[in-house]
Amino acid sequence: MKTNERTAMTADRVRAIWCRELQRDDIMPDDDFFALGGDSLIMVRIQGAFIEELGAEVLMDQLFLHPTVGSIAAYIDSRAALAP
């Protein structure tokens, strides 16, 4: 699978998690988590979902550095590519 395809699949899964946790279905890949109403409590739930559903541990600071579906999906995939 190509990197772009994998990131698109990861982005779809991230978007589904965000839609569920933010309780909205209109989230686009470039929407900012905080502009969508995200806060630290929701962020903690999303962190748990990333571990549970994607097998990816994402530290809180990375969620601040990558506040869009597209950017956090790319980050998750870049970390997976580095894993042994």
Side-chain angles (χ1 to χ4, degrees), residues 10 12-18 20-21 45-57 76:
T10 302
D12 287 343
R13 295 173 73 191
V14 168
R15 182 185 176 280
I17 292 167
W18 283 28
R20 182 181 69 232
E21 297 301 333
R45 292 198 311 259
I46 287 173
Q47 278 184 301
F50 285 169
I51 292 169
E52 187 77 23
E53 298 173 38
L54 302 177
E57 184 174 356
I76 289 169

Side-chain angles (χ1 to χ4, degrees), residues 53-67:
E53 298 173 38
L54 302 177
E57 184 174 356
V58 179
L59 299 177
M60 189 78 68
D61 65 329
Q62 294 303 315
L63 292 167
F64 281 99
L65 292 171
H66 306 284

Side-chain angles (χ1 to χ4, degrees), residues 3-63:
T3 302
N4 289 346
E5 291 171 358
R6 184 175 59 236
T7 299
M9 289 176 58
T10 302
D12 287 343
R13 295 173 73 191
V14 168
R15 182 185 176 280
I17 292 167
W18 283 28
C19 286
R20 182 181 69 232
E21 297 301 333
L22 289 164
Q23 299 181 350
R24 52 190 306 160
D25 60 3
D26 60 342
I27 298 173
M28 302 303 291
D30 293 328
D31 287 342
D32 184 277
F33 174 77
F34 301 101
L36 294 168
D39 59 30
S40 60
L41 295 176
I42 295 170
M43 193 179 284
V44 169
R45 292 198 311 259
I46 287 173
Q47 278 184 301
F50 285 169
I51 292 169
E52 187 77 23
E53 298 173 38
L54 302 177
E57 184 174 356
V58 179
L59 299 177
M60 189 78 68
D61 65 329
Q62 294 303 315
L63 292 167

